[in-house]
Amino acid sequence: MSNNTVMKKRWISLYVENQVGVLSKISGLFSGKSYNLDSLTVGTTADASVSRMTIATFSDDETFEQIKKQLNRMVEVIKVIDFTDIFVRMKEILYIKVMNCSMEDKTELFQIAETFKAKVIDYGKDSLLLEFVQTATKNDAVIALIKGEYKAIEVVRGGSVGIESISMMER
């Protein structure tokens, strides 16, 4: 298999005009072309008229080049930045609610939270709510760990957001 047909996770950051319908147009581009949209987050920047999107997709090189070209052609898109092979600070938020906990379960969950630099943000008689802000890969690992130990859990993830690194540190 040649390298340009290898499917891999790729990241794009977009500066877009902050107006009604832009998010819909961009997500519509992905669904209309059958591109796999893995994650999409959006928020305003220091300039309230501009939003920044962080998009994750799985694609081969050729498809990814097409995605970037099509995004660049959109009137509302100010700038497209390919994050795939550059140094980026990237995090996502993850909430895990664990229900039906014993006292021993709670003790172990506090230890997991400490190990993964998470916060216990809510606490009930038989439940715990954890908040993680870390890389998607670390969040995948913590979900697998907690799913393996506890049966009654609820998981909510936000998409990743990223910014170019000042130093040459990796994601």
Side-chain angles (χ1 to χ4, degrees):
M1 183 185 275
S2 68
N3 195 34
N4 64 351
T5 59
V6 173
M7 298 291 282
K8 71 176 191 178
K9 192 166 202 170
R10 298 152 194 276
W11 297 93
I12 305 170
S13 184
L14 301 177
Y15 285 98
V16 298
E17 293 174 9
N18 186 11
Q19 58 190 37
V20 174
V22 173
L23 175 61
S24 175
K25 270 180 117 169
I26 288 170
S27 61
L29 167 77
F30 279 79
S31 63
K33 301 282 184 182
S34 297
Y35 298 148
N36 182 10
L37 185 58
D38 188 54
S39 168
L40 188 153
T41 57
V42 62
T44 55
T45 62
D47 177 348
S49 70
V50 176
S51 288
R52 185 155 177 175
M53 293 184 174
T54 305
I55 298 172
T57 184
F58 279 98
S59 69
D60 58 40
D61 290 348
E62 188 179 334
T63 303
F64 191 57
E65 287 307 312
Q66 282 300 115
I67 290 169
K68 290 189 293 185
K69 281 180 190 163
Q70 288 167 345
L71 288 168
N72 268 311
R73 277 190 219 122
M74 295 177 81
V75 179
E76 301 86 354
V77 174
I78 299 163
K79 186 176 182 183
V80 177
I81 306 164
D82 181 352
F83 271 0
T84 306
D85 296 316
I86 63 171
F87 293 105
V88 175
R89 298 289 179 162
M90 196 169 291
K91 300 283 184 186
E92 78 168 9
I93 192 162
L94 164 69
Y95 292 107
I96 301 179
K97 186 187 297 179
V98 184
M99 286 96 44
N100 304 327
C101 296
S102 67
M103 216 40 179
E104 294 78 25
D105 291 339
K106 286 182 186 175
T107 302
E108 185 180 349
L109 286 163
F110 269 94
Q111 290 172 341
I112 289 170
E114 189 177 329
T115 301
F116 285 91
K117 297 184 178 95
K119 293 179 185 167
V120 176
I121 60 166
D122 204 356
Y123 186 96
K125 189 174 77 129
D126 67 346
S127 58
L128 213 58
L129 180 57
L130 303 167
E131 178 185 73
F132 300 83
V133 179
Q134 53 195 6
T135 64
T137 305
K138 284 183 183 173
N139 280 344
D140 290 341
V142 80
I143 290 168
L145 174 70
I146 292 176
K147 264 173 102 171
E149 293 288 318
Y150 305 94
K151 300 305 166 222
I153 69 168
E154 185 178 342
V155 175
V156 177
R157 287 176 97 155
S160 293
V161 293
I163 191 165
E164 301 88 335
S165 189
I166 295 168
S167 63
M168 298 307 283
M169 298 295 291
E170 295 195 48
R171 290 192 174 98

